C-alpha cells in the first residue's frame, strides 16, 4: 500500500549521529509518523563522522557560514553539497521534522553568531534553508511541536 513519506532528522529517530556521539530520540515524533515511510536525514555524520567537532552558524558579511568550533574550518560548501544530493534522491515527501537548534537542522531556533562568536539572533540551519527552497509545498516542523 502507498505510504506517505516523512523526512525526519535521524537523531530524533534514535540514530547515534550527533556531534557528541549521542542520540536525541523523541518517541512522540516516532509515534506520530508510525504510518509513514520514514526517510532519515543527517548531513553531518556521513561527512564528519560521529563523534565530531561541533559546528556553528556564523554570519559574516550578511552571509551564513557553517564553521567548525575549534579548527575554524568553513564546511558550508560540503554541507550544501551533501544536503542537495539528499534532495535530489528524495525529491518528494509529505512531512519534514527537523531537530531544533542544530546548525544543520534547526528551523528558526539555531543560534546565529557573529565573527566573534557572540549570539546575534536565531534562525535556520543550512538544511532548513535548503529544504525551504527544495520543498516549498511542505510544512517544516521540529520536535518541539510533538
Ligand atoms: S541535528 Fe541534524 S545534523 Fe545534527 S545529528 Fe541530528 S540529524 Fe544529524
Amino acid at each position: 500500500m502507498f505510504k506517505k513519506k516523512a523526512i525526519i532528522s535521524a537523531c530524533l529517530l534514535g540514530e547515534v549521529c550527533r556531534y557528541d556521539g549521542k542520540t536525541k530520540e523523541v518517541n512522540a515524533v516516532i509515534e506520530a509518523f508510525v504510518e509513514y515511510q520514514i526517510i532519515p536525514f543527517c548531513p553531518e555524520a556521513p561527512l564528519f563522522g560521529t563523534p565530531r567537532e561541533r559546528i556553528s552558524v556564523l554570519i559574516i558579511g550578511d552571509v551564513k557560514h557553517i564553521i567548525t568550533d575549534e579548527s575554524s574550518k568553513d564546511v558550508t560548501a560540503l554541507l550544501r553539497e551533501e544536503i542537495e544530493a539528499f534532495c535530489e534522491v528524495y525529491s518528494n515527501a509529505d512531512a519534514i521534522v527537523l531537530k531544533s537548534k542544530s546548525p544543520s537542522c534547526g528551523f528558526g531556533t539555531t543560534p546565529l553568531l557573529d565573527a566573534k562568536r557572540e549570539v546575534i539572533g536565531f534562525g535556520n540551519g543550512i538544511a532548513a534553508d535548503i529544504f525551504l527552497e527544495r520543498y516549498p509545498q511542505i510544512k517544516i516542523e521540529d520536535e518541539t511541536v510533538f
Side-chain angles (χ1 to χ4, degrees), residues 9-11 17-18 41-44 52 99 102 104-105:
S9 289
C11 55
C17 54
R18 277 169 53 92
F41 168 73
C42 180
E44 295 180 26
R52 57 186 168 273
K99 172 70 185 72
S102 154
S104 294
C105 294

